[in-house]
Amino acid sequence: MKKLKERWNVTTNLQLIVIFIVFAITGFSSLQLAKPFLTLIGIPETFQPHWLYRVLRIILIFPIYQVLLVLMGFIFGQFTFFWEFEKKMLNRMKLGFIANYVDSKLKKQKTDI
């Protein structure tokens, strides 16, 4: 736990527990939201070939997870941690331009206030 707290720059055990809870809720929620979202866009669970339905669902889980992670982090008061975590993840996947765009919008919003 100590190494994880140092790596994530977390100061208290409570904050670490909250972060674990956010990861758990986000993972479960993204799995649950993918199925109705596919149905909403016209791809029911009975879609054939069934393996393609599974692949589409797995692909869809990824962006849902990314959005929910930051949203749940905000709800649980850990937005800064999860936004930094998200930026690192996007940069590693060569999608850092998305994080840079959102970051610039967030910074602009702060200066407008």
Side-chain angles (χ1 to χ4, degrees):
M1 292 279 251
K2 184 178 178 181
K3 286 183 182 181
L4 195 54
K5 283 170 50 176
E6 289 173 8
R7 181 177 177 190
W8 284 350
N9 198 22
V10 173
T11 54
T12 67
N13 287 336
L14 180 61
Q15 186 180 9
L16 194 60
I17 290 168
V18 169
I19 289 168
F20 287 150
I21 289 170
V22 169
F23 277 124
I25 291 172
T26 302
F28 179 76
S29 298
S30 63
L31 291 173
Q32 298 303 312
L33 288 175
K35 187 191 294 187
F37 191 80
L38 281 172
T39 304
L40 181 70
I41 61 174
I43 304 173
E45 194 171 359
T46 56
F47 183 80
Q48 293 297 325
H50 197 64
W51 64 267
L52 183 57
Y53 173 83
R54 296 286 178 205
V55 170
L56 291 172
R57 187 169 176 200
I58 289 169
I59 291 170
L60 185 60
I61 287 170
F62 176 72
I64 291 172
Y65 181 82
Q66 304 309 312
V67 172
L68 282 178
L69 189 62
V70 176
L71 180 64
M72 290 295 168
F74 175 77
I75 291 170
F76 281 84
Q78 297 297 319
F79 176 80
T80 303
F81 172 82
F82 283 103
W83 178 238
E84 292 301 319
F85 188 87
E86 188 68 29
K87 287 193 298 189
K88 285 181 194 174
M89 190 181 315
L90 289 171
N91 282 326
R92 288 181 186 141
M93 294 184 298
K94 307 296 186 218
L95 297 172
F97 64 93
I98 296 170
N100 293 337
Y101 175 76
V102 174
D103 228 7
S104 70
K105 294 295 181 185
L106 288 174
K107 287 178 183 174
K108 184 180 179 200
Q109 232 178 10
K110 282 184 182 178
T111 59
D112 290 344
I113 294 176

